[in-house]
Amino acid sequence: MNMTVNGRDVELPDHVTTVRDLLDHFKLNKELAIVELNQSILDKSIRDDAALSDGDRIEIVQFVGGG
Amino acid sequence: MLKIGPYSFNSRLLLGTGKFPDFDIQKEAVEKSETEILTFAVRRMNIFEPEQPNFLEKIDVNNYTLLPNTAGAKTAEEAVRIAKLAKASGLCDMIKVEVIGCDKTLLPDPIETLKASEMLLEEGFIVLPYTSDDVLLAKRLEGLGCHAIMPGASPIGTGLGIINPLNIRYIIEQSSVPVIVDAGIGVPSDAAKAMELGADGVLLNTAVSGANDPVKMAEAMKYGVLAGRASYEAGRIPKKFNAAASSPLEGMSIL
């Protein structure tokens, strides 16, 4: 599956079908990750099971130091 | 107590989390400051660098109220998007509205700040707009229902202190919601000055994170805020232009 994650075009293995799989694939901290799928922000309660499709545009953000 | 929306705080010092030399120093500075509110920015994760450390992992987030900002937004719509992303963290429902209108001065765009604040209030956020020291804009923001007003002392990161204390005083006098002086604080006397004017709190970052000894400066800022607040509550003497001796005039015949 091909999708755009944080502005980068990436090719993902077939077993990556949900946001949970995606976060695991990149080994990202699930406590910190906030995910937007095709411009729709995913609430934490539904985030992990959200299904991914070819061509999806995904933003994964987090809190960082700032004033 | 500092009351913002449904929340109450003992500390009147809000601390930013940017630009500290390292997380150990930052953690100690946060502890010494005794702050209860920490600000954060929202940024992309580096998906190709999973091991990047995050300050949130170093602290017990249950001990702090997180105040994410919308820094990076140049329009109201961008600010709302960042605010919603921040809320989706499940960690907070307060938002510091920060819509910068000028890259050189980093001054906030008043129109977009007002628009963003209105939109976020409709979405149910606890809204704290970072604004200039414009008195009428502060009034308009309060009129929308903002939960606190955060006028800048001077431009972000300058450390110039309060460049228009009269405007800050006007804003404080007219406001029935908390006024938190945000940005431009350089030294504890600046923070104390803001509190002496009657501000409900002070938000600062670079003054601590950029100090030679951030931990010591964090503690100094705590005392600055405490001293200024105590002074405000004690009530200062009026300024006079005639000297008045504090030693008694009686019993001077020994001379």
Side-chain angles (χ1 to χ4, degrees), chain A residues 4-10 23 25-36 39-45 47 57-67, chain B residues 15-19 39-52 54 56-57 66 68-69 81 84-92 96 98 203 205:
Chain A
T4 307
V5 182
N6 286 1
R8 305 279 289 269
D9 293 329
V10 294
L23 295 174
H25 175 75
F26 287 114
K27 299 185 174 63
L28 299 177
N29 185 326
K30 285 208 271 295
E31 291 297 311
L32 299 174
I34 305 163
V35 179
E36 186 188 62
Q39 303 201 350
S40 169
I41 296 165
L42 302 177
D43 197 76
K44 268 231 164 126
S45 57
R47 181 194 71 186
R57 300 184 72 82
I58 296 160
E59 288 286 336
I60 307 172
V61 302
Q62 64 177 341
F63 284 11
V64 300
Chain B
L15 195 61
T17 57
K19 293 184 175 174
T39 68
F40 287 88
V42 177
R43 290 291 180 272
R44 277 176 170 168
M45 275 185 163
N46 185 342
I47 57 172
F48 299 114
E49 196 185 324
E51 298 308 319
Q52 54 193 312
N54 189 303
L56 280 175
E57 298 170 306
L66 307 189
N69 65 38
R81 183 179 175 210
K84 286 181 174 175
L85 283 165
K87 198 175 189 178
S89 70
L91 295 170
C92 54
K96 168 178 164 175
E98 180 174 349
L203 197 171
N205 184 340

Side-chain angles (χ1 to χ4, degrees), chain B residues 110-126:
Chain B
I111 312 289
E112 297 300 318
T113 299
L114 195 75
K115 272 171 61 182
S117 297
E118 187 168 26
M119 291 159 79
L120 288 166
L121 285 163
E122 280 174 18
E123 297 274 351
F125 283 81
I126 307 297

Side-chain angles (χ1 to χ4, degrees), chain B residues 174-233:
Chain B
Q174 76 183 2
S175 294
S176 55
V177 295
V179 175
I180 296 164
V181 173
D182 175 9
I185 299 293
V187 286
S189 57
D190 297 332
K193 179 75 179 169
M195 298 307 293
E196 285 170 11
L197 288 170
D200 297 277
V202 170
L203 197 171
L204 55 89
N205 184 340
T206 311
V208 167
S209 66
N212 287 336
D213 184 341
V215 175
K216 189 163 270 188
M217 188 59 88
E219 189 173 22
M221 286 298 181
K222 176 188 79 175
Y223 289 125
V225 170
L226 285 173
R229 179 65 188 181
S231 168
Y232 173 73
E233 290 175 355

